[in-house]
Amino acid sequence: MGLCIGFDVYRQFGLAEPQHLNQSYVQWDGYILNRAEPGRGVFLKFVNFRGQWAGYATNIYFRAVYVMYPRPVLVARPGDVLNKPFQVLAANSYPSEKWLWDHGVGSIIIVDFDPVRTQPFVAGVKWLGR
């Protein structure tokens, strides 16, 4: 009984509202959408994501897949198995820019990680087909 009451107090006063929990990822929705060519997908190139920060890469990737659907969001070559952050970062390359363009990708978004500020940022965009 005490555990239930304790949890309820925590739930009422300790937990953040859902919109605040996702705030940093909602910002990424805009970053991704604004750097995608209309009607085409993106390739996310991750730079400097190491150790404990690797999880940011998968969070950004999965959020981008959700936001960009049905347009493609790629982070690796076809056939690579990606289940964990280290797999995403280890396989983070593409066959060629022509291949990306032929498969509906219009831009490569370079996502870097700043270890001092402990946060990812968009370092640049390479537009394909322009």
Side-chain angles (χ1 to χ4, degrees), residues 10 15 32:
Y10 173 71
L15 291 177
I32 302 294

Side-chain angles (χ1 to χ4, degrees), residues 18-63:
Q19 66 266 26
H20 297 295
L21 293 173
N22 275 340
Q23 191 61 40
S24 62
Y25 293 111
V26 169
Q27 290 176 337
W28 278 94
D29 296 353
Y31 298 157
I32 302 294
L33 290 170
N34 292 333
R35 288 160 178 87
E37 194 164 308
R40 299 190 75 83
V42 297
F43 183 90
L44 300 176
K45 179 63 181 163
F46 295 108
V47 180
N48 296 320
F49 285 78
R50 292 179 178 77
Q52 65 186 12
W53 311 117
Y56 277 107
T58 52
N59 289 348
I60 291 167
Y61 167 57
F62 290 130
R63 183 73 189 197

Side-chain angles (χ1 to χ4, degrees), residues 23-117:
Q23 191 61 40
S24 62
Y25 293 111
V26 169
Q27 290 176 337
W28 278 94
D29 296 353
Y31 298 157
I32 302 294
L33 290 170
N34 292 333
R35 288 160 178 87
E37 194 164 308
R40 299 190 75 83
V42 297
F43 183 90
L44 300 176
K45 179 63 181 163
F46 295 108
V47 180
N48 296 320
F49 285 78
R50 292 179 178 77
Q52 65 186 12
W53 311 117
Y56 277 107
T58 52
N59 289 348
I60 291 167
Y61 167 57
F62 290 130
R63 183 73 189 197
V65 168
Y66 173 77
V67 164
M68 294 284 294
Y69 182 82
R71 296 178 282 171
V73 176
L74 305 177
V75 294
R77 297 172 177 266
D80 286 339
V81 176
L82 307 173
N83 293 316
K84 298 181 180 177
F86 73 88
Q87 292 171 317
V88 170
L89 295 174
N92 192 217
S93 66
Y94 51 88
S96 70
E97 291 178 10
K98 181 181 180 335
W99 187 93
L100 290 175
W101 182 260
D102 291 344
H103 289 85
V105 172
S107 58
I108 300 169
I109 302 174
I110 300 141
V111 182
D112 202 343
F113 190 84
D114 182 347
V116 175
R117 295 178 67 196

